[in-house]
Every structure is written in C-alpha cells, then in structure tokens.
Amino acid sequence: MTIKLLGNGDELPYDLLLLADPSREIIDSYIRDSRVYVALIGDVRVGVYVLTPLEDKKAEVKNIAVHESWQGRGLGKQLLTDAAIKARDLGFRTLVIGTGNSSVAQLYLYQRSGFEITAIRKDFFIQHYPEPIYENGIQCKHMIMLEKTL
C-alpha cells in the first residue's frame, strides 16, 4: 500500500470520504483547509484520511475511511500511523481525532493506537446532521474526542 498526498487539481475521493462522514456539505466545509491523503493498492483507492491543522501545534484527523471490501486487513491502523508520522513531520505535537459514540470499532482502534479520550461533545451529531445516524444499532449522538501526543 502506498499513501499519496492529493494535489489541488486531483479529484477528491468522495466515495471513501462519505464512508466516514455522511454529509458532503460538512466534508466540503473542512476539506479546503486540509491535506487529503489517499491509500492506493496498485491504482485502486482503498483508503483516505484528511489532516487539518488546529491551533497550539495540534492537527486533527477529520476523516478516515477504508473501502468496505478492504476493511479488517489493518489498513485503518496503517492510515492512523501514517497520519501521526505526517503530522509530526509537519511540526504538530498532538494529533486529535473524533468519532461517534456508536462507533465501537473505531473507538477500539483509536485507543489501541495510543489515543486517549479527552472530551465528549454532547449532541454533536444531532445538532449538525439533518437525519439521525445509526451505527451498530445505536443512535450516533455524541462526538467522542481523542488525542495522541506525537
């Protein structure tokens, strides 16, 4: 697998981005201020992550996704590792990531990758998304924020 930074003229992989965030409008709101990295196996786009600078030497992984047919093979962990390396190389000291309260597998992956829960944004998904989101039979209401020191 190779991970490539998309350039300004490159087409955004909305098919992958929408796996992690069901709102194209919200994706478009943060994508302009971000770096988009695409994971390739051969010529096939199998994953993506979006790295967005924040204040105080922090960067946030705003979106991370692996195509359904490639999940369960460790690619998500490789993307997180790459995000941490890229963020550190860019001068950031902390990497932030958020996920829904219903995203059990993601919470497991992030904590196993060295992230620690730092905050809960109550009702984030109810306030920012027009339709209810369900995952694993649980309504996604709250954003769980995690951080990792680089």
Side-chain angles (χ1 to χ4, degrees):
M1 179 173 80
T2 59
I3 299 174
K4 171 186 144 184
L5 173 64
L6 288 185
N8 288 339
D10 292 331
E11 182 180 342
L12 291 171
Y14 280 104
D15 59 325
L16 293 170
L17 294 165
L18 288 165
L19 294 173
D21 189 334
S23 170
R24 186 170 173 148
E25 182 179 335
I26 291 176
I27 292 169
D28 288 341
S29 75
Y30 59 73
I31 209 83
R32 286 182 285 280
D33 300 323
S34 305
R35 293 171 172 252
V36 179
Y37 294 89
V38 177
L40 301 161
I41 295 181
D43 292 335
V44 178
R45 291 178 171 184
V46 297
V48 66
Y49 72 85
V50 177
L51 193 61
T52 305
L54 304 174
E55 296 176 356
D56 300 325
K57 298 281 186 183
K58 291 183 180 184
E60 182 175 355
V61 175
K62 284 278 198 179
N63 188 311
I64 185 168
V66 174
H67 190 279
E68 292 101 333
S69 63
W70 290 91
Q71 291 178 4
R73 301 181 194 194
L75 284 102
K77 183 173 182 167
Q78 289 179 49
L79 289 173
L80 275 179
T81 299
D82 191 74
I85 291 167
K86 295 281 191 323
R88 186 177 57 239
D89 289 349
L90 290 166
F92 297 104
R93 294 194 178 137
T94 305
L95 191 58
V96 178
I97 196 164
T99 194
N101 61 281
S102 56
S103 301
V104 180
Q106 290 85 340
L107 283 167
Y108 175 75
L109 171 63
Y110 301 158
Q111 290 177 88
R112 284 205 41 172
S113 298
F115 287 85
E116 294 186 15
I117 296 172
T118 55
I120 298 174
R121 295 182 182 167
K122 299 281 281 177
D123 297 325
F124 178 89
F125 293 98
I126 293 170
Q127 295 169 358
H128 293 90
Y129 291 82
E131 300 293 325
I133 301 169
Y134 287 88
E135 188 177 25
N136 301 309
I138 304 166
Q139 184 175 1
C140 186
K141 296 179 182 179
H142 316 299
M143 173 82 79
I144 310 293
M145 299 304 299
L146 303 96
E147 291 187 9
K148 176 180 182 172
T149 301
L150 303 174

